[in-house]
Structure formats: structure tokens, C-alpha cells
Amino acid sequence: MARFPDNEIISLVGKAPRFDLAESVGPSVRLAELVDMAFGGGADFSLDYGTAAGNAALRQEIANDNGVDADDVVVTVGGMHALFLIAFTLCSSGDEAVVAEPVFPLARNALTAVGATTRALPLRFDTGYRVDLDAIRELLSPKTRVVSLASPQNPSGVAIPEHTLREIAALLAEHAPQAWLVIDETYREAAYGDNAAAPSAACLGPRVITVSSLSKCHGSAGLRIGWAITRDAALRQALVTAKFSTVISCSPVDEALALAVFRQRDRIIGERRKLLAQHLQFTEHWVSRHGTHIEWVRPDAGALCCMRLKPEVFDAAAVERFYATLAKYSTRVAPGPWFGDDPLVFRLGFGLPTLTQLAIALECVSVALTEATHGGGA
């Protein structure tokens, strides 16, 4: 009876181990940082319905940040809600959707749940998870309604260059004119240190839809605020209607707190970018110490990256021992199969722990690498 397939990634919202390197977020904002700005220091806040499109001031802040108009923005209950509304609005049984894989599984599940046939666009560790334009062209057909990408990608943190996104939009216009290009930009602003964030793809073309949320870059996953941006007025109205028909509105409390996040975004994002840069450098040094056992694709942004157990060192039994040893030390990474990737690959999140905790957690991974390869002659 289930419409959505099971996936062990649901464990990320369950009980966490002592060292959780499976997460893809940084430190969370504390409620006390936002309350005074959101509610004026008082508790006299009317708990009315919100609007179907979303709080007007919040939509304006999102628009300012993405180079669009406020009327182009629909506020949703997290980015995943936006992806579901897009799938529900654009796809029916028999339609096709091209999905870059590996992928955050819920993004694919939203499309299959509404009856769309998904066609995988393979992104591989060996090619740095880069998008192949010829591969996209071969997957397009008159039945294509959505091409779903993420930039930076989850799980790899690899970004798709702006010129490549423009070429993809042009491919759709020529080979699948009824299709929409959907780009999940959830990690876009999670640049490292003083690196500039990539520009939003929201203005790349009339059939481009971008999705994002406060969950990753802004440290506010618990607010459940996301958004979709489309320059197409008819599609925007369809998304607003779909939102109203599923949740009516977002919580006005969440929207008020989200507005406070945006008004402190320079501080909030700036602090997290500095932390991410430090943690990325530490992780990179750790990888260099373990070159006989492991390799990685260095991410472009975000608190996440993909690592691979070296195939010449790890057989299937050694992979099992690796994960069993991690569990013994109450440490977790995100296995590649969660995302449709090779069993030798895992996602490592380096942004959530403190630097001290990250050092201890990575030493647990070091022990697991050693024990796994000395437990059965792999």
C-alpha cells in the first residue's frame, strides 16, 4: 500500500549516534537568536492562518536574494514540499522525468509517487560527479516533463557550472520543449570562507524552476521553510493552489522566524561559511593521511562530500566490516546506496560537529578503515 519506498536515510531523523557524520547540515540556529526580532520581544503574536503564497515580506527577502520579483516566489513547508508540489503539478502517469543520480532519494520519490517514470542521469565518482550533456540529450523525449538536478549536489557537494545549466536549458528547449528544468539550490549559499556563492539559476530561462530552503545554509532546518521560484505566472498560481490544497499555508510562527533569519542572514551564513572552511580543510588533511584506503571528490559547497573506499583494498566483506566497526564506535556515515550510489561510496558530513568532535569522529573512521582491511585479508 505504500506510495513511497523505504530508505534507511529516514534514520537521520531518528536517534543519532555519538558521532554523526551522515548529516549534511551545520550547527543549528538557536531560537533565542531570533525571537526578539521575530516577535518584538513579546508573546502577543496572533496565530492566524498564513497566506497560500507565503508571507509577503518573507517572499520579498527571498526574491532579493535570488534576483527575482516577490511574485515569483512560493513559500513551502521545507524544500521537499516544494519538490513534491512541482512533481504533483507537472507530472502525471506516463510522463517521464530525468533525475540525476546519486540523488537525495525523496526528490526522486516525489516524482515516482505521482506516476512519473524516472530516467536516471548517471553521475559517477570517477568523473567527479560532473554532468554529461550528451547523456542528458539521449534521455530526453516528447514525454519528458521534468529534468531534476541539484547544484550543489546531494550527496557530493559538486556544483553544476552556470554555463552548463544554460546549455541544459537550451537542450530542453530544442529536444523536450514541454519539459521544465528543476534545480535544487539548497546548498548554494554554503560556500567556504570568503568564497563567493554561485548565483541563483532562477533567471536562466522561462522554464526553469529553482527550489531551496533554510535547512542547510541557514542552520534552521526545524523551521520547515522552503520555497520554489518560477518566472511563469501560470505555474506559480498552480503551485499556490496545490499548496493550499495540501497544507493551506505555512505556519505564521515559522514564517516570522524565517523572516528574522533572513534579516540576520549575513551573520548567520557568514559564521557557518567560516566554520565550513575550517572543517573542510581539516577533512582534506585527514583524507591525505589515508590515501591507501580512501579517496574523495572535493566538494564545491555545502557541509558534505563523497568518499570512496578503494576498490583494490575493500571487497564486499571488508565494506561490511567497515560499517560494523563504525557502529561499534557509535559513529555513522551515509552509505552510498541510500542515494543510489556504489556501496564503496559514502557521504560524509563535516559541518555539524565541533572541530574537536570532528577530529574524534574521523579518528573513529580511521580505526574502522584499518580494522576492516585487517579482518579478513581483503
Side-chain angles (χ1 to χ4, degrees):
M1 294 177 64
R3 296 291 297 273
F4 298 101
D6 290 331
N7 188 299
E8 282 301 312
I9 200 169
I10 198 172
S11 64
L12 292 180
V13 292
K15 184 178 180 180
R18 182 184 179 194
F19 300 116
D20 197 354
L21 299 178
E23 274 291 359
S24 61
V25 298
S28 296
V29 170
R30 308 294 296 182
L31 184 61
E33 298 177 60
L34 306 176
V35 167
D36 284 351
M37 181 175 286
F39 305 123
D44 187 15
F45 184 86
S46 181
L47 295 178
D48 303 317
Y49 281 113
T51 65
N55 177 283
L58 177 58
R59 287 191 291 113
Q60 186 62 62
E61 290 285 349
I62 294 168
N64 293 345
D65 201 39
N66 288 269
V68 298
D69 296 328
D71 284 346
D72 299 326
V73 179
V74 180
V75 180
T76 58
V77 186
M80 194 57 240
H81 186 216
L83 290 171
F84 178 79
L85 294 180
I86 290 165
F88 185 83
T89 300
L90 297 180
C91 296
S92 301
S93 179
D95 290 335
E96 293 181 356
V98 176
V99 180
E101 297 184 3
V103 63
F104 180 57
L106 278 63
R108 180 183 55 231
N109 294 351
L111 292 159
T112 58
V114 299
T117 299
T118 58
R119 306 188 71 187
L121 171 67
L123 308 177
R124 294 291 175 253
F125 186 97
D126 286 327
T127 55
Y129 296 105
R130 299 300 175 187
V131 172
D132 185 328
L133 293 174
D134 290 334
I136 293 180
R137 185 184 294 107
E138 292 176 3
L139 292 169
L140 298 177
S141 83
K143 293 183 179 181
T144 305
R145 292 296 176 268
V146 165
V147 174
S148 179
L149 308 174
S151 182
Q153 299 156 2
N154 182 3
S156 70
V158 173
I160 304 173
E162 183 179 2
H163 68 84
T164 302
L165 291 172
R166 289 187 182 278
E167 291 178 283
I168 294 170
L171 278 179
L172 268 62
E174 180 179 357
H175 298 282
Q178 299 304 308
W180 296 80
L181 177 57
V182 179
I183 305 169
D184 185 341
E185 299 186 326
T186 301
Y187 297 94
R188 179 179 65 84
E189 293 191 89
Y192 302 129
D194 295 328
N195 293 350
S200 173
C203 298
L204 284 186
R207 297 185 74 83
V208 173
I209 311 166
T210 59
V211 170
S212 193
S213 78
L214 295 182
S215 297
K216 308 299 182 181
C217 307
H218 302 77
S220 303
L223 290 184
R224 307 313 306 135
I225 290 291
W227 55 87
I229 297 175
T230 173
R231 313 300 296 277
D232 186 283
L235 176 59
R236 177 190 174 277
Q237 185 55 52
L239 293 175
V240 170
T241 301
K243 175 189 171 183
F244 177 75
S245 300
T246 51
V247 298
I248 299 179
S249 72
C250 294
S251 160
V253 175
D254 281 0
E255 289 187 330
L257 291 167
L259 186 57
V261 169
F262 266 95
R263 290 175 174 170
Q264 297 184 52
R265 65 178 302 282
D266 289 345
R267 175 188 66 81
I268 290 170
I269 293 180
E271 291 172 353
R272 280 151 186 77
R273 286 179 178 174
K274 181 178 179 181
L275 179 147
L276 287 178
Q278 294 171 342
H279 287 208
L280 176 65
Q281 183 179 32
F282 189 92
T283 302
E284 187 165 27
H285 177 69
W286 178 85
V287 171
S288 70
R289 290 171 42 211
H290 296 281
T292 58
H293 290 83
I294 205 163
E295 53 196 340
W296 76 327
V297 174
R298 194 182 192 278
D300 296 314
L304 71 174
C305 62
C306 279
M307 299 194 178
R308 183 168 69 179
L309 303 171
K310 286 201 165 181
E312 63 270 24
V313 178
F314 287 82
D315 59 14
V319 172
E320 289 187 12
R321 289 194 296 273
F322 171 72
Y323 284 105
T325 305
L326 285 179
K328 182 172 68 173
Y329 291 104
S330 193
T331 303
R332 176 170 66 182
V333 297
W338 285 7
F339 310 94
D341 210 339
D342 189 284
L344 290 165
V345 175
F346 60 89
R347 185 184 77 180
L348 185 138
F350 52 81
L352 182 59
T354 65
L355 197 57
T356 299
Q357 291 169 336
L358 178 63
I360 298 171
L362 287 176
E363 283 308 305
C364 291
V365 181
S366 299
V367 172
L369 292 172
T370 301
E371 291 191 11
T373 52
H374 289 80

